[in-house]
Amino acid sequence: MPKKSWSAADESAMQEAFRLSLEGMRRGEGGPFGAVVVKDGEIVASAWNEVLKTNDPTAHAEVTAIRRATAKLGRFDLHDCVLYTSCEPCPMCLGAAYWARISKVYYANTQADAAEAGFSDQFIYEEIARPLADRQTPFLHLPQPNAKEAFHEWQKMVSKQPY
């Protein structure tokens, strides 16, 4: 039998993510998803899906927990944090975890489990792989003569904070 790669603390954090998924869903604030961000063994932020509460399609549990963690810690880089989520992150939440530089992500339910419950992200993965011209939502390049001005200024900026 393979050795498990998680601890009692990991189990506890995951149980909190699961508890949050139920609480938010039962309140009618969003789908059955919960997440916590942990730093040095302590939960620094937690959230459930708030899409219905806020009418914000980006208010997924993972994104909301990451936003709360960055606000609490006063920084955008969460390289020393772990994300525990009740379900394998969707493409948006996956991107948010990478942008936040989360060091590790634990999830309970899989994409397949979510799809069985009516939450399928497969079409997004398929859309990402398609050429722009073949996507369901048109993505049209509208070049502008001054469009790169902000990029050029950013490259020259001495006081910029790279991220």
Side-chain angles (χ1 to χ4, degrees):
M1 175 181 265
K3 182 182 176 211
K4 71 178 191 176
S5 61
W6 59 88
S7 67
D10 293 326
E11 289 278 352
S12 178
M14 184 59 77
Q15 282 300 310
E16 178 61 7
F18 173 68
R19 185 192 71 73
L20 291 163
S21 74
L22 288 172
E23 185 173 345
M25 177 190 65
R26 289 173 178 162
R27 288 183 181 205
E29 294 184 0
F33 304 98
V36 297
V37 175
V38 173
K39 179 183 181 304
D40 299 329
E42 299 292 325
I43 294 174
V44 295
S46 60
W48 54 66
N49 181 294
E50 296 182 359
V51 170
L52 299 176
K53 174 185 175 185
T54 62
N55 290 318
D56 177 355
T58 70
H60 289 198
E62 299 92 334
V63 170
T64 303
I66 288 169
R67 288 175 179 161
R68 290 177 180 162
T70 59
K72 182 173 183 176
L73 297 173
R75 55 190 165 93
F76 58 82
D77 183 333
L78 301 178
H79 72 277
D80 53 352
C81 296
V82 177
L83 176 65
Y84 297 83
T85 179
S86 63
C87 189
E88 187 174 356
C90 74
M92 177 183 67
C93 295
L94 174 72
Y98 275 108
W99 281 116
R101 295 180 178 90
I102 295 284
S103 67
K104 190 181 294 185
V105 177
Y106 287 98
Y107 61 92
N109 291 308
T110 66
Q111 286 181 40
D113 298 328
E116 284 179 24
F119 297 95
S120 179
D121 299 317
Q122 189 58 38
F123 79 97
I124 298 174
Y125 288 108
E126 291 169 2
E127 284 290 289
I128 290 169
R130 283 186 169 85
L132 292 175
D134 296 339
R135 292 185 180 169
Q136 287 182 15
T137 300
F139 281 73
L140 307 168
H141 184 207
L142 183 58
Q144 298 294 300
N146 60 343
K148 291 186 182 178
E149 182 180 330
F151 288 144
H152 293 304
E153 190 171 323
W154 170 261
Q155 289 173 310
K156 294 175 188 172
M157 189 180 291
V158 176
S159 63
K160 70 182 170 204
Q161 182 177 358
Y163 60 95

